[in-house]
PDB file of all heavy atoms in Angstrom:
ATOM      1  N   ARG A  13       4.321   3.401   7.135  1.00  0.00           N
ATOM      2  CA  ARG A  13       3.661   2.106   6.933  1.00  0.00           C
ATOM      3  C   ARG A  13       2.271   2.409   6.488  1.00  0.00           C
ATOM      4  O   ARG A  13       1.478   3.018   7.194  1.00  0.00           O
ATOM      5  CB  ARG A  13       3.689   1.255   8.214  1.00  0.00           C
ATOM      6  CG  ARG A  13       5.130   0.773   8.537  1.00  0.00           C
ATOM      7  CD  ARG A  13       5.173  -0.180   9.710  1.00  0.00           C
ATOM      8  NE  ARG A  13       4.470  -1.380   9.346  1.00  0.00           N
ATOM      9  CZ  ARG A  13       3.635  -2.019  10.195  1.00  0.00           C
ATOM     10  NH1 ARG A  13       3.478  -1.587  11.390  1.00  0.00           N
ATOM     11  NH2 ARG A  13       3.046  -3.134   9.817  1.00  0.00           N
ATOM     12  N   PHE A  14       1.906   1.970   5.294  1.00  0.00           N
ATOM     13  CA  PHE A  14       0.656   2.254   4.644  1.00  0.00           C
ATOM     14  C   PHE A  14      -0.052   0.937   4.393  1.00  0.00           C
ATOM     15  O   PHE A  14       0.530  -0.057   3.934  1.00  0.00           O
ATOM     16  CB  PHE A  14       0.919   2.986   3.315  1.00  0.00           C
ATOM     17  CG  PHE A  14      -0.299   3.151   2.490  1.00  0.00           C
ATOM     18  CD1 PHE A  14      -1.073   4.306   2.562  1.00  0.00           C
ATOM     19  CD2 PHE A  14      -0.752   2.117   1.588  1.00  0.00           C
ATOM     20  CE1 PHE A  14      -2.225   4.455   1.755  1.00  0.00           C
ATOM     21  CE2 PHE A  14      -1.856   2.295   0.856  1.00  0.00           C
ATOM     22  CZ  PHE A  14      -2.622   3.434   0.920  1.00  0.00           C
ATOM     23  N   ALA A  15      -1.350   0.878   4.695  1.00  0.00           N
ATOM     24  CA  ALA A  15      -2.147  -0.314   4.399  1.00  0.00           C
ATOM     25  C   ALA A  15      -3.519   0.097   3.949  1.00  0.00           C
ATOM     26  O   ALA A  15      -4.116   1.039   4.469  1.00  0.00           O
ATOM     27  CB  ALA A  15      -2.264  -1.208   5.662  1.00  0.00           C
ATOM     28  N   GLN A  16      -4.031  -0.611   2.925  1.00  0.00           N
ATOM     29  CA  GLN A  16      -5.436  -0.367   2.493  1.00  0.00           C
ATOM     30  C   GLN A  16      -6.111  -1.694   2.292  1.00  0.00           C
ATOM     31  O   GLN A  16      -5.515  -2.608   1.728  1.00  0.00           O
ATOM     32  CB  GLN A  16      -5.411   0.421   1.170  1.00  0.00           C
ATOM     33  CG  GLN A  16      -6.852   0.658   0.663  1.00  0.00           C
ATOM     34  CD  GLN A  16      -6.958   1.399  -0.618  1.00  0.00           C
ATOM     35  OE1 GLN A  16      -6.102   2.245  -0.939  1.00  0.00           O
ATOM     36  NE2 GLN A  16      -7.996   1.105  -1.408  1.00  0.00           N
ATOM     37  N   GLU A  17      -7.349  -1.727   2.738  1.00  0.00           N
ATOM     38  CA  GLU A  17      -8.181  -2.880   2.449  1.00  0.00           C
ATOM     39  C   GLU A  17      -8.432  -2.974   0.948  1.00  0.00           C
ATOM     40  O   GLU A  17      -8.460  -1.958   0.242  1.00  0.00           O
ATOM     41  CB  GLU A  17      -9.532  -2.753   3.154  1.00  0.00           C
ATOM     42  CG  GLU A  17      -9.467  -2.759   4.628  1.00  0.00           C
ATOM     43  CD  GLU A  17     -10.821  -2.473   5.307  1.00  0.00           C
ATOM     44  OE1 GLU A  17     -11.661  -1.795   4.656  1.00  0.00           O
ATOM     45  OE2 GLU A  17     -11.024  -2.939   6.410  1.00  0.00           O
ATOM     46  N   ALA A  18      -8.573  -4.200   0.474  1.00  0.00           N
ATOM     47  CA  ALA A  18      -8.842  -4.399  -0.961  1.00  0.00           C
ATOM     48  C   ALA A  18      -9.730  -5.626  -1.158  1.00  0.00           C
ATOM     49  O   ALA A  18      -9.352  -6.577  -1.799  1.00  0.00           O
ATOM     50  CB  ALA A  18      -7.504  -4.576  -1.731  1.00  0.00           C
ATOM     51  N   PRO A  19     -10.939  -5.561  -0.562  1.00  0.00           N
ATOM     52  CA  PRO A  19     -11.851  -6.728  -0.634  1.00  0.00           C
ATOM     53  C   PRO A  19     -12.228  -7.040  -2.081  1.00  0.00           C
ATOM     54  O   PRO A  19     -12.588  -6.113  -2.829  1.00  0.00           O
ATOM     55  CB  PRO A  19     -13.023  -6.295   0.216  1.00  0.00           C
ATOM     56  CG  PRO A  19     -12.991  -4.781   0.209  1.00  0.00           C
ATOM     57  CD  PRO A  19     -11.525  -4.423   0.116  1.00  0.00           C
ATOM     58  N   GLY A  20     -12.107  -8.310  -2.455  1.00  0.00           N
ATOM     59  CA  GLY A  20     -12.536  -8.722  -3.766  1.00  0.00           C
ATOM     60  C   GLY A  20     -11.534  -8.347  -4.884  1.00  0.00           C
ATOM     61  O   GLY A  20     -11.828  -8.637  -6.055  1.00  0.00           O
ATOM     62  N   PHE A  21     -10.405  -7.747  -4.558  1.00  0.00           N
ATOM     63  CA  PHE A  21      -9.464  -7.366  -5.579  1.00  0.00           C
ATOM     64  C   PHE A  21      -8.658  -8.636  -6.011  1.00  0.00           C
ATOM     65  O   PHE A  21      -8.271  -9.431  -5.166  1.00  0.00           O
ATOM     66  CB  PHE A  21      -8.453  -6.351  -5.023  1.00  0.00           C
ATOM     67  CG  PHE A  21      -8.957  -4.926  -4.979  1.00  0.00           C
ATOM     68  CD1 PHE A  21     -10.244  -4.617  -4.526  1.00  0.00           C
ATOM     69  CD2 PHE A  21      -8.129  -3.880  -5.421  1.00  0.00           C
ATOM     70  CE1 PHE A  21     -10.670  -3.301  -4.500  1.00  0.00           C
ATOM     71  CE2 PHE A  21      -8.578  -2.574  -5.416  1.00  0.00           C
ATOM     72  CZ  PHE A  21      -9.828  -2.335  -4.925  1.00  0.00           C
ATOM     73  N   THR A  22      -8.400  -8.689  -7.289  1.00  0.00           N
ATOM     74  CA  THR A  22      -7.524  -9.791  -7.792  1.00  0.00           C
ATOM     75  C   THR A  22      -6.072  -9.398  -7.481  1.00  0.00           C
ATOM     76  O   THR A  22      -5.786  -8.246  -7.153  1.00  0.00           O
ATOM     77  CB  THR A  22      -7.674  -9.899  -9.317  1.00  0.00           C
ATOM     78  OG1 THR A  22      -7.216  -8.728  -9.966  1.00  0.00           O
ATOM     79  CG2 THR A  22      -9.119 -10.230  -9.716  1.00  0.00           C
ATOM     80  N   ASP A  23      -5.158 -10.337  -7.664  1.00  0.00           N
ATOM     81  CA  ASP A  23      -3.721 -10.013  -7.484  1.00  0.00           C
ATOM     82  C   ASP A  23      -3.294  -8.890  -8.446  1.00  0.00           C
ATOM     83  O   ASP A  23      -2.537  -8.013  -8.085  1.00  0.00           O
ATOM     84  CB  ASP A  23      -2.871 -11.258  -7.679  1.00  0.00           C
ATOM     85  CG  ASP A  23      -3.011 -12.229  -6.496  1.00  0.00           C
ATOM     86  OD1 ASP A  23      -3.508 -11.826  -5.451  1.00  0.00           O
ATOM     87  OD2 ASP A  23      -2.606 -13.403  -6.672  1.00  0.00           O
ATOM     88  N   GLU A  24      -3.820  -8.924  -9.657  1.00  0.00           N
ATOM     89  CA  GLU A  24      -3.475  -7.877 -10.643  1.00  0.00           C
ATOM     90  C   GLU A  24      -3.999  -6.524 -10.185  1.00  0.00           C
ATOM     91  O   GLU A  24      -3.280  -5.495 -10.299  1.00  0.00           O
ATOM     92  CB  GLU A  24      -4.066  -8.219 -11.983  1.00  0.00           C
ATOM     93  CG  GLU A  24      -3.705  -7.293 -13.111  1.00  0.00           C
ATOM     94  CD  GLU A  24      -4.246  -7.747 -14.476  1.00  0.00           C
ATOM     95  OE1 GLU A  24      -4.325  -8.950 -14.710  1.00  0.00           O
ATOM     96  OE2 GLU A  24      -4.585  -6.864 -15.207  1.00  0.00           O
ATOM     97  N   GLN A  25      -5.218  -6.481  -9.679  1.00  0.00           N
ATOM     98  CA  GLN A  25      -5.784  -5.241  -9.180  1.00  0.00           C
ATOM     99  C   GLN A  25      -5.003  -4.709  -7.981  1.00  0.00           C
ATOM    100  O   GLN A  25      -4.752  -3.504  -7.829  1.00  0.00           O
ATOM    101  CB  GLN A  25      -7.268  -5.395  -8.827  1.00  0.00           C
ATOM    102  CG  GLN A  25      -8.159  -5.562 -10.047  1.00  0.00           C
ATOM    103  CD  GLN A  25      -9.535  -5.986  -9.645  1.00  0.00           C
ATOM    104  OE1 GLN A  25      -9.790  -6.841  -8.802  1.00  0.00           O
ATOM    105  NE2 GLN A  25     -10.537  -5.373 -10.336  1.00  0.00           N
ATOM    106  N   LYS A  26      -4.564  -5.623  -7.090  1.00  0.00           N
ATOM    107  CA  LYS A  26      -3.795  -5.210  -5.911  1.00  0.00           C
ATOM    108  C   LYS A  26      -2.434  -4.658  -6.393  1.00  0.00           C
ATOM    109  O   LYS A  26      -1.946  -3.642  -5.833  1.00  0.00           O
ATOM    110  CB  LYS A  26      -3.543  -6.408  -4.983  1.00  0.00           C
ATOM    111  CG  LYS A  26      -4.787  -6.778  -4.174  1.00  0.00           C
ATOM    112  CD  LYS A  26      -4.486  -7.919  -3.233  1.00  0.00           C
ATOM    113  CE  LYS A  26      -5.741  -8.328  -2.478  1.00  0.00           C
ATOM    114  NZ  LYS A  26      -5.455  -9.424  -1.581  1.00  0.00           N
ATOM    115  N   ALA A  27      -1.841  -5.250  -7.424  1.00  0.00           N
ATOM    116  CA  ALA A  27      -0.568  -4.751  -7.949  1.00  0.00           C
ATOM    117  C   ALA A  27      -0.757  -3.333  -8.498  1.00  0.00           C
ATOM    118  O   ALA A  27       0.099  -2.445  -8.310  1.00  0.00           O
ATOM    119  CB  ALA A  27      -0.002  -5.701  -8.995  1.00  0.00           C
ATOM    120  N   GLY A  28      -1.856  -3.124  -9.213  1.00  0.00           N
ATOM    121  CA  GLY A  28      -2.166  -1.765  -9.692  1.00  0.00           C
ATOM    122  C   GLY A  28      -2.384  -0.773  -8.573  1.00  0.00           C
ATOM    123  O   GLY A  28      -1.956   0.411  -8.685  1.00  0.00           O
ATOM    124  N   LEU A  29      -3.063  -1.175  -7.520  1.00  0.00           N
ATOM    125  CA  LEU A  29      -3.279  -0.355  -6.364  1.00  0.00           C
ATOM    126  C   LEU A  29      -1.967   0.044  -5.702  1.00  0.00           C
ATOM    127  O   LEU A  29      -1.763   1.249  -5.410  1.00  0.00           O
ATOM    128  CB  LEU A  29      -4.219  -1.069  -5.374  1.00  0.00           C
ATOM    129  CG  LEU A  29      -4.800  -0.316  -4.195  1.00  0.00           C
ATOM    130  CD1 LEU A  29      -5.658   0.862  -4.666  1.00  0.00           C
ATOM    131  CD2 LEU A  29      -5.642  -1.272  -3.357  1.00  0.00           C
ATOM    132  N   ILE A  30      -1.079  -0.918  -5.568  1.00  0.00           N
ATOM    133  CA  ILE A  30       0.209  -0.632  -4.976  1.00  0.00           C
ATOM    134  C   ILE A  30       0.966   0.388  -5.846  1.00  0.00           C
ATOM    135  O   ILE A  30       1.559   1.353  -5.378  1.00  0.00           O
ATOM    136  CB  ILE A  30       1.027  -1.931  -4.781  1.00  0.00           C
ATOM    137  CG1 ILE A  30       0.452  -2.766  -3.692  1.00  0.00           C
ATOM    138  CG2 ILE A  30       2.527  -1.634  -4.525  1.00  0.00           C
ATOM    139  CD1 ILE A  30       1.011  -4.147  -3.543  1.00  0.00           C
ATOM    140  N   ALA A  31       1.023   0.114  -7.159  1.00  0.00           N
ATOM    141  CA  ALA A  31       1.705   1.057  -8.072  1.00  0.00           C
ATOM    142  C   ALA A  31       1.156   2.491  -7.980  1.00  0.00           C
ATOM    143  O   ALA A  31       1.872   3.449  -7.984  1.00  0.00           O
ATOM    144  CB  ALA A  31       1.618   0.509  -9.530  1.00  0.00           C
ATOM    145  N   GLY A  32      -0.188   2.576  -7.936  1.00  0.00           N
ATOM    146  CA  GLY A  32      -0.781   3.894  -7.789  1.00  0.00           C
ATOM    147  C   GLY A  32      -0.385   4.606  -6.537  1.00  0.00           C
ATOM    148  O   GLY A  32       0.039   5.763  -6.523  1.00  0.00           O
ATOM    149  N   TRP A  33      -0.473   3.902  -5.378  1.00  0.00           N
ATOM    150  CA  TRP A  33      -0.106   4.519  -4.119  1.00  0.00           C
ATOM    151  C   TRP A  33       1.376   4.784  -4.058  1.00  0.00           C
ATOM    152  O   TRP A  33       1.804   5.814  -3.450  1.00  0.00           O
ATOM    153  CB  TRP A  33      -0.559   3.637  -2.917  1.00  0.00           C
ATOM    154  CG  TRP A  33      -2.013   3.844  -2.543  1.00  0.00           C
ATOM    155  CD1 TRP A  33      -3.040   2.988  -2.741  1.00  0.00           C
ATOM    156  CD2 TRP A  33      -2.549   5.023  -1.978  1.00  0.00           C
ATOM    157  NE1 TRP A  33      -4.143   3.531  -2.259  1.00  0.00           N
ATOM    158  CE2 TRP A  33      -3.924   4.786  -1.776  1.00  0.00           C
ATOM    159  CE3 TRP A  33      -2.027   6.239  -1.511  1.00  0.00           C
ATOM    160  CZ2 TRP A  33      -4.805   5.695  -1.199  1.00  0.00           C
ATOM    161  CZ3 TRP A  33      -2.873   7.178  -0.951  1.00  0.00           C
ATOM    162  CH2 TRP A  33      -4.260   6.898  -0.810  1.00  0.00           C
ATOM    163  N   GLU A  34       2.218   3.990  -4.694  1.00  0.00           N
ATOM    164  CA  GLU A  34       3.644   4.263  -4.690  1.00  0.00           C
ATOM    165  C   GLU A  34       3.863   5.616  -5.382  1.00  0.00           C
ATOM    166  O   GLU A  34       4.676   6.440  -4.894  1.00  0.00           O
ATOM    167  CB  GLU A  34       4.407   3.148  -5.427  1.00  0.00           C
ATOM    168  CG  GLU A  34       4.510   1.874  -4.659  1.00  0.00           C
ATOM    169  CD  GLU A  34       5.604   1.834  -3.589  1.00  0.00           C
ATOM    170  OE1 GLU A  34       6.270   2.852  -3.377  1.00  0.00           O
ATOM    171  OE2 GLU A  34       5.805   0.775  -2.951  1.00  0.00           O
ATOM    172  N   GLY A  35       3.195   5.865  -6.462  1.00  0.00           N
ATOM    173  CA  GLY A  35       3.313   7.180  -7.162  1.00  0.00           C
ATOM    174  C   GLY A  35       2.778   8.312  -6.295  1.00  0.00           C
ATOM    175  O   GLY A  35       3.423   9.398  -6.268  1.00  0.00           O
ATOM    176  N   PHE A  36       1.702   8.100  -5.617  1.00  0.00           N
ATOM    177  CA  PHE A  36       1.186   9.115  -4.665  1.00  0.00           C
ATOM    178  C   PHE A  36       2.221   9.452  -3.646  1.00  0.00           C
ATOM    179  O   PHE A  36       2.465  10.597  -3.328  1.00  0.00           O
ATOM    180  CB  PHE A  36      -0.094   8.653  -3.979  1.00  0.00           C
ATOM    181  CG  PHE A  36      -1.331   8.412  -4.878  1.00  0.00           C
ATOM    182  CD1 PHE A  36      -1.252   8.394  -6.220  1.00  0.00           C
ATOM    183  CD2 PHE A  36      -2.507   8.160  -4.285  1.00  0.00           C
ATOM    184  CE1 PHE A  36      -2.398   8.169  -6.999  1.00  0.00           C
ATOM    185  CE2 PHE A  36      -3.640   7.928  -5.028  1.00  0.00           C
ATOM    186  CZ  PHE A  36      -3.591   7.957  -6.386  1.00  0.00           C
ATOM    187  N   ILE A  37       2.794   8.379  -3.019  1.00  0.00           N
ATOM    188  CA  ILE A  37       3.762   8.545  -1.953  1.00  0.00           C
ATOM    189  C   ILE A  37       5.027   9.232  -2.450  1.00  0.00           C
ATOM    190  O   ILE A  37       5.645  10.019  -1.735  1.00  0.00           O
ATOM    191  CB  ILE A  37       4.016   7.230  -1.204  1.00  0.00           C
ATOM    192  CG1 ILE A  37       2.695   6.787  -0.474  1.00  0.00           C
ATOM    193  CG2 ILE A  37       5.179   7.350  -0.204  1.00  0.00           C
ATOM    194  CD1 ILE A  37       2.738   5.362   0.026  1.00  0.00           C
ATOM    195  N   ASP A  38       5.404   8.942  -3.703  1.00  0.00           N
ATOM    196  CA  ASP A  38       6.579   9.660  -4.302  1.00  0.00           C
ATOM    197  C   ASP A  38       6.313  11.147  -4.261  1.00  0.00           C
ATOM    198  O   ASP A  38       7.218  11.932  -3.918  1.00  0.00           O
ATOM    199  CB  ASP A  38       6.804   9.223  -5.762  1.00  0.00           C
ATOM    200  CG  ASP A  38       7.362   7.852  -5.919  1.00  0.00           C
ATOM    201  OD1 ASP A  38       7.859   7.276  -4.894  1.00  0.00           O
ATOM    202  OD2 ASP A  38       7.315   7.333  -7.022  1.00  0.00           O
ATOM    203  N   GLU A  39       5.148  11.578  -4.677  1.00  0.00           N
ATOM    204  CA  GLU A  39       4.808  13.007  -4.688  1.00  0.00           C
ATOM    205  C   GLU A  39       4.705  13.566  -3.290  1.00  0.00           C
ATOM    206  O   GLU A  39       5.160  14.703  -2.987  1.00  0.00           O
ATOM    207  CB  GLU A  39       3.491  13.282  -5.465  1.00  0.00           C
ATOM    208  CG  GLU A  39       3.629  12.964  -6.924  1.00  0.00           C
ATOM    209  CD  GLU A  39       4.737  13.698  -7.636  1.00  0.00           C
ATOM    210  OE1 GLU A  39       4.762  14.974  -7.527  1.00  0.00           O
ATOM    211  OE2 GLU A  39       5.578  13.073  -8.240  1.00  0.00           O
TER     212      GLU A  39
END
């Protein structure tokens, strides 16, 4: 279970953050 704060992030930025971390977690 992974969580990161994202203050001031738009929904689009949060989606990008999730996609990035998903790739990190894949590796």
Side-chain angles (χ1 to χ4, degrees):
R13 291 187 62 222
F14 171 94
Q16 179 180 328
E17 295 174 331
F21 281 46
T22 65
D23 287 345
E24 184 177 325
Q25 289 170 318
K26 286 180 182 180
L29 191 59
I30 289 170
W33 277 110
E34 288 279 4
F36 293 10
I37 295 169
D38 287 346
E39 293 305 304

